[in-house]
Amino acid sequence: MQTGSRPRNCLVAIDLLRFGAAAMVMLCHYFGQWALSVRLGVNGDPTLSGLPSNKWLHSGWVGVEIFFVISGYVIALSATGSTAADFARRRLLRLWPGALVCATITALVLLAAGVPWAQLALPHAGSAMLGLVGDDIDPVYWTLQVECIFYALVAILLATRRWNAARVGVALSFWSLAYLAWILGSSGTAPAVTQLAELLLAPFGAFFGMGILIQQAHRDPTSVKAWMFIPSFVAAPVCIQGFVAADGGVLSFEPLLLFGLGVAVIALSAKLQRPLSSDRLSRCAVALGLATYPLYLLHQFVGEAMLIGAARIGLSPAFMVGPVMLTMIAAALFIALRIEPVLRIRLDRLLRPRIRPAETAAQASVAGSP
C-alpha cells in the first residue's frame, strides 16, 4: 500500500536538489533577511546583529521558484497514466499530514513565546487546511496555496481526459508570458504580485511548465520540440527579476544564477541517477527529500522564535544560528520519517473506501513525491 513514502528508485538528484532549495530559503531568512538586531528583538538599534549577509545568502528566496520547477517535473511524472481521483488522493496524502503537524508545532511555539491563542486559532486552522482558507500561521504557507491550485488544474485535466504534458507545459509558459506582457505593457514596471495573480498561477506558470517539459523530454524526447522551452526560458528569468524589483531590491545576477544551476540539475537528473544511485546515498536522498516539506514549513517562525528567545537571554544570534538550523533539520527529519507516515496510513484508510485507484507501476514509483 502506498502511503506517501517514496521507494528507493526515486531520482536522487531531484531529492538532493529539493533539500538544497529548502536550505537556500532557510539561509535567506536567517541571514539575508534577519541581519538586523531589531529584527531579532535585541534592541532598537538597526545595526548588524552578528549574522553575516551578502547577495548570495539574500538570493536564497529563489529556492521557492526551484521548488515550482521540481513540482512541475514530479507532477508530470505522477499524473501520467493516473486517474483524477487517484492523483488527488496521493496529493492529499502528501501534503495534509505535514501541514497539520507543522502548523500545530508553529502554533505551540508562538503560544509559548507569548502570542495569545485568540490570535493563533484561526491561522492555525487555515494553515492546517493547506492555507486554502483564512490567514496563514506562517507566511511560508502561501506556496501551498499555489501548489494546490496547480494540483487542482492537473486533476481537472485528468478528469476531463485533456492531460497532455507537452501541451500543458507550453500553455502554462505562454500564460506567464501573456501576464508579463500585460503587466509591463500597462505599467512599464513590475508591481507586487497580487493574490489574484497567484490564484491564477500567472507569475508561476512558467516554472511549473518548465518542469513539466523537462520531465516529458526525459520520458519521450520525440514529443518535445526545442521551441517549446522558449516561453518558459524567457518568462522565468523575467519573473524572477520582477519579484526582486517589486520588493524594492536591486536587480542582480545571483538569483538568476542560482535558479539556472537548479534547473540544470533537474535537466540532468536522469543522467545523474546512475552515478548517484549507491544504496547509502539513495536512502539519504529519500530521507532529505521527504524532510524538505516540514523543514520549509517550520524554519521561519519557529526558528525566529528560537533566535529571539536566545537573544533575550544574552546568547549571540551568531552563536545560536547554527544550532537552530540543525534543530530545524532534525525536527523535519523526525516529522517526515516518524510522524507523517502514521498520519498518512490513517488518512489513506479513510480515503480508500471512497477512492479506489487503479495504480500502475509507474504511478507507484512516484507515490508521495511532492
Side-chain angles (χ1 to χ4, degrees):
M1 178 178 65
Q2 296 296 333
T3 61
S5 58
R6 286 195 304 284
R8 293 181 184 178
N9 61 345
C10 64
L11 291 177
V12 176
I14 294 291
D15 272 323
L16 294 176
L17 176 63
R18 182 185 286 115
F19 181 78
M24 286 168 54
V25 177
M26 180 168 63
L27 289 170
C28 172
H29 285 153
Y30 287 10
F31 293 89
Q33 295 182 11
W34 293 356
L36 297 180
S37 58
V38 65
R39 171 68 171 169
L40 292 172
V42 178
N43 52 50
D45 180 20
T47 57
L48 291 179
S49 66
L51 297 180
S53 184
N54 56 48
K55 290 184 178 180
W56 292 104
L57 290 169
H58 193 79
S59 299
W61 59 267
V62 83
V64 172
E65 280 62 44
I66 295 175
F67 283 146
F68 290 154
V69 180
I70 293 174
S71 183
Y73 186 96
V74 298
I75 292 306
L77 188 62
S78 178
T80 301
S82 178
T83 65
D86 184 35
F87 175 83
R89 178 186 67 87
R90 287 185 280 118
R91 293 304 95 208
L92 183 60
L93 287 174
R94 180 66 184 103
L95 290 183
W96 181 77
L100 174 63
V101 173
C102 293
T104 301
I105 292 174
T106 301
L108 292 175
V109 169
L110 294 179
L111 187 65
V115 180
W117 176 248
Q119 297 181 23
L120 296 173
L122 291 180
H124 170 261
S127 297
M129 296 298 294
L130 304 176
L132 297 177
V133 294
D135 296 327
D136 297 328
I137 200 164
D138 187 315
V140 297
Y141 281 80
W142 74 268
T143 58
L144 288 189
Q145 300 171 12
V146 174
E147 292 278 358
C148 287
I149 293 169
F150 173 54
Y151 298 161
L153 173 62
V154 175
I156 292 171
L157 292 174
L158 289 171
T160 57
R161 298 184 180 182
R162 295 181 180 276
W163 171 258
N164 179 293
R167 291 179 182 176
V168 172
V170 172
L172 285 170
S173 302
F174 270 115
W175 177 237
S176 288
L177 267 184
Y179 167 75
L180 288 172
W182 178 70
I183 288 293
L184 296 176
S186 60
S187 64
T189 60
V193 177
T194 65
Q195 185 176 17
L196 177 60
E198 289 183 358
L199 293 176
L200 295 175
L201 299 183
F204 311 115
F207 302 103
F208 291 120
M210 184 184 298
I212 292 172
L213 289 173
I214 293 174
Q215 205 292 311
Q216 183 63 18
H218 288 171
R219 176 188 295 274
D220 182 9
T222 62
S223 66
V224 178
K225 309 300 181 184
W227 67 266
M228 294 181 176
F229 285 97
I230 295 176
S232 61
F233 282 8
V234 171
V238 176
C239 284
I240 289 172
Q241 294 289 38
F243 300 154
V244 175
D247 288 338
V250 179
L251 300 184
S252 61
F253 73 92
E254 287 87 359
L256 292 178
L257 182 56
L258 290 173
F259 177 76
L261 291 174
V263 171
V265 172
I266 298 170
L268 295 172
S269 59
K271 293 183 178 180
L272 292 172
Q273 180 66 9
R274 178 168 294 182
L276 295 177
S277 60
S278 69
D279 188 59
R280 179 176 298 180
L281 182 58
S282 295
R283 288 198 303 268
C284 179
V286 168
L288 292 176
L290 291 171
T292 295
Y293 181 45
L295 175 62
Y296 176 76
L297 294 182
L298 278 181
H299 79 274
Q300 181 159 310
F301 272 12
V302 174
E304 179 180 8
M306 293 174 67
L307 286 173
I308 289 174
R312 285 177 177 172
I313 63 174
L315 296 176
S316 166
F319 173 77
M320 287 300 300
V321 68
V324 167
M325 288 192 293
L326 291 176
T327 300
M328 293 296 96
I329 294 172
L333 285 167
F334 181 78
I335 292 169
L337 301 180
R338 293 292 182 265
I339 301 179
E340 285 186 277
V342 175
L343 293 177
R344 286 198 185 100
I345 291 173
R346 295 183 179 181
L347 179 61
D348 195 36
R349 287 172 179 169
L350 293 174
L351 294 177
R352 277 186 178 272
R354 298 167 176 80
I355 304 175
R356 298 192 178 278
E359 289 187 345
T360 65
Q363 295 164 26
S365 68
V366 294
S369 299

